[in-house]
Amino acid sequence: QRIRQLVADAGAARIEALGLNSQVATIEPCSHIQQAMILETARHKNAYCNWIELEFQKSVSAAAVQEAVFKLVEQNTLLRSGFIEIGLKDQSFARFTYHALDKRIFEKRDAFDYDLSLTAEHDLLQPLRFQLRETPEDLRLLVHIHHALYDGWSWQLMLKDLHRLLLSEDLPPKPAYNVVADFFVEYKLSNASNESLLFWRDQLQGSSPAPFPNFHTTTDVPPGTQEATRELQISTSKLTEASQNLRVSRQTIFQAAYCYILSTYLGSDDVTFGSVFSGRTLPVKGIENVLGPCIRTLPTRMKLDKMQNATDLLLAIQNMNRKCLEHGSLPLQDIKKASGIDLQSSLFDTALV
């Protein structure tokens, strides 16, 4: 309660400075997942600012899409939220909720603006924006959305709700996202967090994460983003069969393969990489229906010199995944501190999703 009050007081001062008092209903703490994403956006304005383009069937009208979008936002408080910088320790940002939908977040356009900025200095006052484009050929919706509002699981929930609304169906009630943020705050203050800190200290102590090698012929390659795609010739049925025979998850098989490849690239038997988990196993009632980011990226460290064969590696990763679910509710920054690694260094610079 004390943390919530501190956040509310600091947030109220910031909201007043922005002249938004009459528009704001509540001010809540962010989860550490949201904090990390927004902090990265403050450093790099396009980080975690995503866009998704939807195409609708010919039978759907522009008016129906607009009405469905408005109802979707009105019935999900997180989608009516913004984020403000408050500068408290462990709470650099707060989340506020608008009383009502601001219809200016929805625009009809002749051409989409894919580079629309979601930030205003260090604040995210409107982290969700929509652009609708109607032509004789098609009807498309461009959704600009910050990652602090959603993850892959949440996006599927949003698509299902949008579909229901287009069919004029009522939306089922969902738990508010603050149940997740509250869980993380309470967890950090509990004895369980101390046990988790000890686990990560023991798991990562003595590791020295090696940077991913530079495969270019020169070292002065400018930074940039590229995408490479390779379709693997692995049938789902074969993968499922191997998973059942080995009694490990399909995710574990890919993690083990990646771990081995990474080891050969780094020339080291001691490797650490990030593993992404849905976060939908938290002990929170209705977690599978919560709209908001629950995704966790946690370090997976493997010492291959202790493995005799591939089965050993698979079982070690499967066991590590179970431990991650048990001890993965801490902020990544706290895990890094527990590891003893230089805080300016990265725990890992590659991750498997």
Side-chain angles (χ1 to χ4, degrees):
Q1 287 292 72
R2 180 173 173 271
I3 292 173
R4 292 180 68 86
Q5 191 60 53
L6 287 171
V7 170
D9 291 344
R14 180 62 180 155
I15 289 295
E16 183 177 4
L18 292 168
L20 297 174
N21 292 47
S22 62
Q23 300 178 46
V24 171
T26 61
I27 300 171
E28 306 273 355
C30 292
S31 70
H32 62 75
I33 301 169
Q34 292 174 313
Q35 295 275 355
M37 291 175 175
I38 300 167
L39 188 59
E40 191 63 24
T41 305
R43 294 187 185 122
H44 309 284
K45 68 175 185 176
N46 293 323
Y48 292 109
C49 296
N50 304 324
W51 59 261
I52 306 166
E53 189 170 337
L54 302 177
E55 182 179 2
F56 295 90
Q57 295 178 347
K58 299 282 187 183
S59 58
V60 179
S61 69
V65 171
Q66 180 172 336
E67 183 181 1
V69 166
F70 284 174
K71 286 183 177 178
L72 179 67
V73 176
E74 286 169 350
Q75 296 186 41
N76 289 281
T77 55
L78 185 65
L79 300 183
R80 295 201 314 276
S81 295
F83 301 93
I84 46 174
E85 187 176 24
I86 57 174
L88 299 179
K89 183 183 178 183
D90 294 331
Q91 294 287 336
S92 301
F93 296 88
R95 176 174 70 87
F96 69 90
T97 304
Y98 288 100
H99 280 293
L101 164 72
D102 184 348
K103 294 186 177 181
R104 290 175 297 178
I105 68 171
F106 190 98
E107 297 179 283
K108 292 182 178 180
R109 294 275 191 117
D110 294 328
F112 284 151
D113 179 5
Y114 293 94
D115 297 321
L116 184 70
S117 176
L118 295 175
T119 59
E121 296 184 356
H122 287 175
D123 298 316
L124 282 165
L125 303 182
Q126 296 286 6
L128 178 63
R129 306 285 290 274
F130 300 92
Q131 297 174 30
L132 186 69
R133 188 191 70 193
E134 185 177 19
T135 69
E137 291 77 31
D138 59 19
L139 177 65
R140 291 175 178 265
L141 182 72
L142 185 66
V143 183
H144 285 274
I145 184 168
H146 194 275
H147 217 328
L149 294 182
Y150 83 112
D151 53 17
W153 189 295
S154 301
W155 179 247
Q156 294 304 312
L157 293 176
M158 290 173 65
L159 287 180
K160 288 177 183 177
D161 281 355
L162 194 60
H163 184 248
R164 288 189 183 104
L165 291 167
L166 288 171
L167 295 175
S168 300
E169 296 178 1
D170 293 332
L171 297 186
K174 291 183 175 64
Y177 183 73
N178 58 11
V179 299
V180 174
D182 288 347
F183 168 80
F184 285 132
V185 171
E186 291 167 7
Y187 184 87
K188 190 167 181 177
L189 298 173
S190 70
N191 292 330
S193 70
N194 294 326
E195 295 174 10
S196 293
L197 286 171
L198 291 174
F199 165 78
W200 288 113
R201 185 198 66 185
D202 295 342
Q203 178 64 27
L204 298 171
Q205 200 169 40
S207 66
S208 180
F212 198 74
N214 175 17
F215 292 111
H216 296 279
T217 54
T218 61
T219 58
D220 58 345
V221 179
T225 302
Q226 291 185 336
E227 181 179 310
T229 303
R230 180 176 178 180
E231 187 174 339
L232 301 178
Q233 302 301 314
I234 302 173
S235 70
T236 305
S237 60
K238 288 286 187 183
L239 186 62
T240 301
E241 182 182 347
S243 171
Q244 291 172 346
N245 290 339
L246 294 165
R247 297 183 179 180
V248 299
S249 68
R250 291 189 293 183
Q251 177 189 7
T252 298
I253 294 174
F254 283 107
Q255 286 173 292
Y258 181 69
C259 182
Y260 180 77
I261 292 172
L262 186 61
S263 172
T264 61
Y265 282 177
L266 298 178
S268 172
D269 291 327
D270 187 351
V271 298
T272 303
F273 59 94
S275 293
V276 178
F277 299 89
S278 71
R280 301 293 166 158
T281 57
L282 293 175
V284 173
K285 186 177 180 180
I287 185 65
E288 67 279 0
N289 293 317
V290 171
L291 197 155
C294 300
I295 192 171
R296 301 301 327 280
T297 304
L298 299 168
T300 297
R301 182 189 184 187
M302 287 291 127
K303 299 178 182 180
L304 278 75
D305 58 341
K306 297 184 181 298
M307 316 288 175
Q308 293 186 358
N309 50 44
T311 301
D312 286 351
L313 178 58
L314 286 163
L315 294 176
I317 290 179
Q318 179 87 343
N319 182 59
M320 182 62 187
N321 288 344
R322 283 197 293 265
K323 293 290 187 181
C324 281
L325 294 178
E326 182 181 350
H327 298 290
S329 296
L330 289 173
L332 195 58
Q333 192 71 4
D334 289 2
I335 293 174
K336 184 189 288 189
K337 288 178 183 176
S339 72
I341 295 170
D342 181 356
L343 294 181
Q344 301 304 313
S345 301
S346 298
L347 278 170
F348 48 83
D349 58 3
T350 65
L352 189 69
V353 181

